Amino acid sequence: MFLRQMRQPVLDVKGVGRKTASALERLDIRTIGDLLVHYPRSYENRKDPVPLVEAHRQGYANTTVRVLSQEYFGWGRDRTLKVTVSDETDTASLVCFGRNFLERVLLPGKFFFLYGSFQMRYGELQSSSFDTEAATEEDSLPARESSKRFGRILPLYPLTTGLSQQHLRNAVGRILQGVVRSVEDEIPSTFREFYGFLPKNRALREIHFPETMQNMELARKSLIYEELFGLQLTVALRAERRKQEGGKAYQSEGNLCSAFFESLPFEPTADQKRVHQEIIEDALSPEPAARLLQGDVGSGKTLVALTGALHYIEAGGQAAFLAPTELLAKQHAERTRKSLEGLGVRTGFLSGSLPEHERHKIQQELQTGEIQLVIGTHALFSEQVHFKHLAFVIIDEQQRFGVLQRLKLTGKGYRPDTLLLTATPIPRTLTMTAFGDLRVSVIKTMPPGRKPVETHLAKIGNEQKVYDFVERELQAGHQAYFVYPLINKSDRMELKDAQQMHQRLAGEIFPDYRVELVHSRKTEEEKEKIMADFAKGDVDILVATSVVEVGVDVANATCMVVEHAERFGLSALHQLRGRVGRSGYQSFAFLVYHPDLTDAGKERLRVMKESNDGFVIAEKDLAIRGPGDLSGTRQSGFIRFTIAELVRDSEVLVQAKKDVETLMKKDPGLEQEDSAFLRRLMKEAPPFPEEPAGTA
Ligand code: ADP
Ligand code: MG
């Protein structure tokens, strides 16, 4: 792809103005390239005819109709036009809510192209969501083909406020007419021809504006393969390069680690000990290592990461711990300082919200090497931060960080070892295939004495029982979380929100307890103060949005109440539930849901009730979403793919890996390769750590 054009701002597209551009930015779309990979989530097939008689079964019709009659129902402001139409197969009603002006358009006797969703209502076939366009003669195919909105397959894009399907269709259409001709193929032609995939420029056209649904399918397959091929190729090239570059081995007596282990009030689990050893092996080997540490929330990953860091510190290096939020960074920093001070290890905390002079001081101490372990937010990436000898980088909840940020931090050391912590479970076979030389450690067992969280489902309307139960826990001296999907009232949806519920919980339901509220619009200081008070036990109930999803650690909290649980994803619910059950006390999660729920929604809540195992939940999540779910592709959480999905497309992934191996055997430097794109990738592939290219 001609990178220069792909990186042009969307404003350069004709017809895209400032308003549209800022709406696009809300979808993370800034450049022409971003827009091109904003793939449709589904399609409206206005090409293959679906006559009215079929609409009973299909739920929609795509046909040409004649208007039979018009009538009105309702009074005053509710007066609504109803138009009766028919094609050769059946008769139906179009209900024109808010569109009474159609009285002058849909005139009896005239013909129209019609696309709409239909339902049986009051004994007739009805649509209130439809689109029409004047037809010249009955069902004239040539006329349909000259139409912009009919006789073709229209893409339906993920939208945001201020953006319509039409905006996106126009903008993408413009790009496809212009830039796309010069798009380069990323798959070598031998493989492309072997699989019968479309060339990239065709694939892009067919995924946005398919000529047929079969073409769309083929385009999808081509693009998925291309993306996974790109990933595998990057992994292979990096491995190749690593053979040539050296790293550094870090040796120590292990005194700091043992001292730290001895200072703990508990014994590390067998899994923790094993993973600790695995980290030490990385340190001892001269190659720069990247390791993924998977373990459910609360399994003790952070602890192992820190003991690993102590090994590097004793060996004379520095370690950096990158946390996904300010709140967590602060919490980790405080704990770490307390537990490592006694061992003579200097720790520091760095975040963008520190006052200038404090930040300055920390930066200086990092440069001189005085600070041995720094914990912080993405402020650790800033240009002014230099390390004396960065040896070990820990990245917590790594899916929250972008590719570039990770590269920036690891670029600061002498090829430091990296440890990625994640509670998002990914089957081992997949991580091995996807990341090639990424090493994987798993903590399976929870620290002893933990009792699995008991999960209960309650319909909205029955929440008093839940509140009564929580009150008993509070009386026993425990604490509780209450989580809501919104900060404050949305006028479009009837949802309980955190602000109002905070008032109700504090004023009416639990007047004898201290109830506080945190959410992302509070200042860092406010959040910190409240969290600190909650951790101390001064606050009994913490009302929150999903800001508490990650990492907050208060062992005395035994109740997690999530209201409108149907609005949260399975993995978010699992993370939220992980905030309780962090001690020997029996803990409880209450998922309060709106009874108006889809089957999939019910199934998801049932999974939460029945399983406490993150791996099981992740797999069920996938099964419920189903392999055909286009909208799921962007949320694979792990790597930001544009269209591929690691688990769903695992077979393609394995095939792509084999193909890359074949290619590299034949031509390790890709010198003979016919694709300019691949030759360039060879030069530009990011050195470390692992990230796919191919999504430029
Ligand atoms: P994770 O990072 O995997 O979510 P943490 O490392 O934060 O888990 O550990 C969760 C809690 O369990 C912490 O309070 C920690 O001190 C405690 N913990 C860790 N390992 C053990 C253990 N072996 N025995 C008892 N408690 C432990
Ligand atoms: Mg953690």
Side-chain angles (χ1 to χ4, degrees):
M1 216 173 264
F2 279 145
L3 289 176
R4 202 161 25 81
Q5 277 171 317
M6 290 302 138
R7 287 189 189 139
Q8 276 169 11
V10 284
L11 268 175
D12 289 2
V13 182
K14 230 179 129 192
V16 174
R18 288 203 180 279
K19 261 212 189 121
T20 310
S22 71
L24 286 170
E25 198 164 327
R26 258 176 275 140
L27 292 171
D28 264 342
I29 298 171
R30 291 178 182 78
T31 64
I32 288 180
D34 295 340
L35 197 49
L36 261 186
V37 298
H38 187 62
Y39 297 125
R41 76 181 144 73
S42 62
Y43 300 85
E44 239 171 58
N45 185 346
R46 298 183 173 198
K47 185 171 187 130
D48 302 322
V50 177
L52 288 174
V53 69
E54 296 259 335
H56 294 271
R57 204 164 40 84
Q58 305 260 26
Y60 79 101
N62 179 43
T63 182
T64 306
V65 293
R66 193 164 75 97
V67 177
L68 299 181
S69 62
Q70 296 186 341
E71 64 183 295
Y72 274 92
F73 65 92
W75 281 271
R77 287 174 69 212
D78 292 337
R79 209 170 94 94
T80 301
L81 174 69
K82 191 167 104 174
V83 179
T84 309
V85 299
S86 77
D87 65 6
E88 278 146 15
T89 65
D90 207 348
T91 302
S93 296
L94 307 179
V95 181
C96 309
F97 289 120
R99 293 198 279 174
N100 284 350
F101 63 87
L102 289 174
E103 181 188 321
R104 275 156 294 155
V105 183
L106 302 176
L107 295 170
K110 299 257 183 205
F111 288 94
F112 292 91
F113 301 133
L114 170 69
Y115 182 95
S117 58
F118 280 86
Q119 277 146 344
M120 280 305 285
R121 251 193 220 136
Y122 309 113
E124 58 181 21
L125 190 60
Q126 271 197 2
S127 175
S128 53
S129 162
F130 59 87
D131 190 14
T132 57
E133 186 174 293
T136 43
E137 349 166 353
E138 190 171 358
D139 203 16
S140 128
L141 272 178
R144 271 195 168 231
E145 296 212 322
S146 69
S147 161
K148 265 208 142 160
R149 288 182 293 129
F150 284 88
R152 57 186 70 202
I153 298 167
L154 290 181
L156 293 175
Y157 293 102
L159 294 178
T160 178
T161 37
L163 204 62
S164 68
Q165 294 295 353
Q166 209 47 48
H167 282 131
L168 275 167
R169 285 172 195 157
N170 289 344
V172 173
R174 283 254 158 67
I175 300 175
L176 287 171
Q177 277 165 17
V179 179
V180 159
R181 249 183 287 279
S182 56
V183 165
E184 285 173 30
D185 278 303
E186 300 177 21
I187 310 172
S189 54
T190 38
F191 292 119
R192 201 183 64 231
E193 280 155 24
F194 177 78
Y195 292 115
F197 288 146
L198 298 174
K200 177 91 182 221
N201 55 8
R202 268 286 308 283
L204 283 172
R205 216 169 318 132
E206 293 285 351
I207 195 107
H208 286 288
F209 297 104
E211 244 165 57
T212 62
M213 290 311 270
Q214 289 88 327
N215 283 8
M216 187 280 290
E217 255 321 305
L218 185 57
R220 244 170 72 72
K221 284 195 178 134
S222 307
L223 292 169
I224 288 172
Y225 177 85
E226 179 193 86
E227 198 156 47
L228 295 174
F229 185 88
L231 167 72
Q232 293 299 339
L233 191 62
T234 313
V235 168
L237 289 177
R238 200 182 55 243
E240 185 71 23
R241 183 171 310 177
R242 272 248 292 272
K243 276 192 203 154
Q244 293 146 25
E245 294 172 349
K248 187 167 155 41
Y250 294 89
Q251 296 199 2
S252 82
E253 305 268 312
N255 293 330
L256 268 181
C257 299
S258 336
F260 180 63
F261 275 136
E262 262 156 45
S263 74
L264 292 174
F266 47 75
E267 177 80 359
T269 63
D271 276 0
Q272 284 175 315
K273 285 185 194 159
R274 194 195 63 244
V275 174
H276 179 68
Q277 275 316 313
E278 289 167 349
I279 295 172
I280 303 299
E281 278 161 33
D282 293 345
L284 295 179
S285 91
E287 277 173 39
R291 181 175 293 279
L292 179 74
L293 174 50
Q294 294 189 59
D296 218 336
V297 274
S299 61
K301 298 183 293 294
T302 310
L303 187 91
V304 179
L306 287 177
T307 36
L310 292 175
H311 174 97
Y312 289 87
I313 288 168
E314 189 176 334
Q318 288 168 295
F321 188 113
L322 182 60
T325 66
E326 171 111 18
L327 206 69
L328 278 171
K330 190 86 184 197
Q331 201 182 52
H332 283 320
E334 218 122 274
R335 287 190 179 197
T336 313
R337 187 174 53 76
K338 282 191 200 129
S339 55
L340 297 188
E341 228 166 32
L343 304 176
V345 175
R346 261 299 303 278
T347 66
F349 168 71
L350 187 68
S351 97
S353 68
L354 281 187
E356 180 70 29
H357 65 280
E358 279 184 45
R359 202 166 54 214
H360 222 78
K361 183 159 173 283
I362 301 282
Q363 282 166 2
Q364 239 155 28
E365 292 174 341
L366 281 173
Q367 192 154 18
T368 58
E370 244 169 293
I371 291 182
Q372 295 161 297
L373 172 64
V374 66
I375 293 162
T377 60
H378 42 264
L380 289 173
F381 300 122
S382 87
E383 304 261 305
Q384 297 95 323
V385 177
H386 302 279
F387 290 84
K388 181 163 186 236
H389 192 138
L390 181 60
F392 188 50
V393 176
I394 303 161
I395 302 179
D396 197 8
E397 302 296 346
Q398 53 89 24
Q399 68 277 11
R400 292 188 179 235
F401 288 94
V403 179
L404 285 173
Q405 291 175 319
R406 268 184 264 169
L407 280 175
K408 270 193 208 151
L409 184 60
T410 43
K412 283 181 187 296
Y414 178 73
R415 279 195 282 282
D417 291 344
T418 318
L419 184 66
L420 312 166
L421 309 185
T422 181
T424 310
I426 292 142
R428 193 181 175 98
T429 44
L430 273 178
T431 51
M432 297 306 280
T433 333
F435 299 101
D437 49 356
L438 183 70
R439 302 163 194 189
V440 179
S441 293
V442 184
I443 300 185
K444 277 232 169 73
T445 46
M446 286 288 184
R450 297 276 172 86
K451 299 191 180 75
V453 179
E454 246 179 58
T455 302
H456 299 278
L457 307 181
K459 277 191 195 142
I460 284 186
N462 293 343
E463 57 270 52
Q464 192 54 47
K465 276 191 211 149
V466 175
Y467 300 160
D468 291 345
F469 192 100
V470 171
E471 174 134 33
R472 278 201 291 279
E473 284 292 301
L474 294 176
Q475 273 167 6
H478 293 303
Q479 292 159 279
Y481 297 94
F482 277 76
V483 176
Y484 297 89
L486 297 174
I487 298 177
N488 52 23
K489 199 119 200 108
S490 125
D491 9 308
R492 268 186 307 157
M493 286 177 284
E494 283 210 17
L495 291 178
K496 292 191 192 180
D497 62 280
Q499 242 159 29
Q500 285 206 353
M501 283 306 291
H502 169 233
Q503 306 239 305
R504 271 197 62 203
L505 291 168
E508 297 165 31
I509 304 170
F510 300 105
D512 299 337
Y513 295 94
R514 189 166 157 207
V515 185
E516 292 287 351
L517 171 69
V518 290
H519 53 67
S520 57
R521 281 196 229 131
K522 296 242 174 192
T523 66
E524 281 306 326
E525 278 140 58
E526 288 173 309
K527 270 193 268 183
E528 244 163 57
K529 172 86 176 68
I530 293 170
M531 291 311 298
D533 287 353
F534 188 65
K536 269 190 288 179
D538 293 350
V539 169
D540 303 296
I541 295 179
L542 189 67
V543 181
T545 55
S546 53
V547 286
V548 289
E549 187 185 319
V550 201
V552 176
D553 191 7
V554 178
N556 187 47
T558 55
C559 293
M560 167 61 69
V561 182
V562 184
E563 300 212 46
H564 288 294
E566 76 280 358
R567 299 232 134 217
F568 293 82
L570 268 185
S571 70
L573 287 176
H574 183 63
Q575 292 276 339
L576 283 170
R577 183 169 57 185
R579 297 305 111 218
V580 295
R582 298 174 79 83
S583 64
Y585 307 120
Q586 178 62 55
S587 292
F588 306 89
F590 297 95
L591 307 180
V592 182
Y593 65 95
H594 197 285
D596 189 5
L597 204 63
T598 61
D599 284 351
K602 280 184 200 133
E603 178 63 26
R604 290 177 337 122
L605 291 178
R606 199 156 40 234
V607 168
M608 286 304 295
K609 184 172 162 58
E610 280 162 16
S611 179
N612 260 303
D613 182 331
F615 277 82
V616 171
I617 290 173
E619 263 160 37
K620 287 270 163 74
D621 192 16
L622 245 145
I624 296 169
R625 273 202 274 143
D629 185 355
L630 291 176
S631 61
T633 51
R634 273 175 177 267
Q635 304 155 10
S636 50
F638 204 60
I639 311 176
R640 270 289 210 108
F641 288 120
T642 64
I643 191 163
E645 195 178 294
L646 219 45
V647 180
R648 182 196 63 198
D649 299 323
S650 60
E651 278 174 36
V652 185
L653 182 72
V654 171
Q655 191 56 49
K657 186 178 168 66
K658 281 188 196 145
D659 293 345
V660 166
E661 279 162 14
T662 312
L663 178 73
M664 298 289 285
K665 236 178 253 155
K666 203 175 70 197
D667 184 9
L670 302 182
E671 277 132 37
Q672 317 295 316
E673 190 41 54
D674 61 359
S675 157
F677 176 84
L678 292 186
R679 286 201 306 274
R680 208 168 43 234
L681 186 63
M682 180 68 197
K683 285 195 220 106
E684 291 172 6
F688 211 74
E690 32 295 315
E691 266 320 323
T695 52

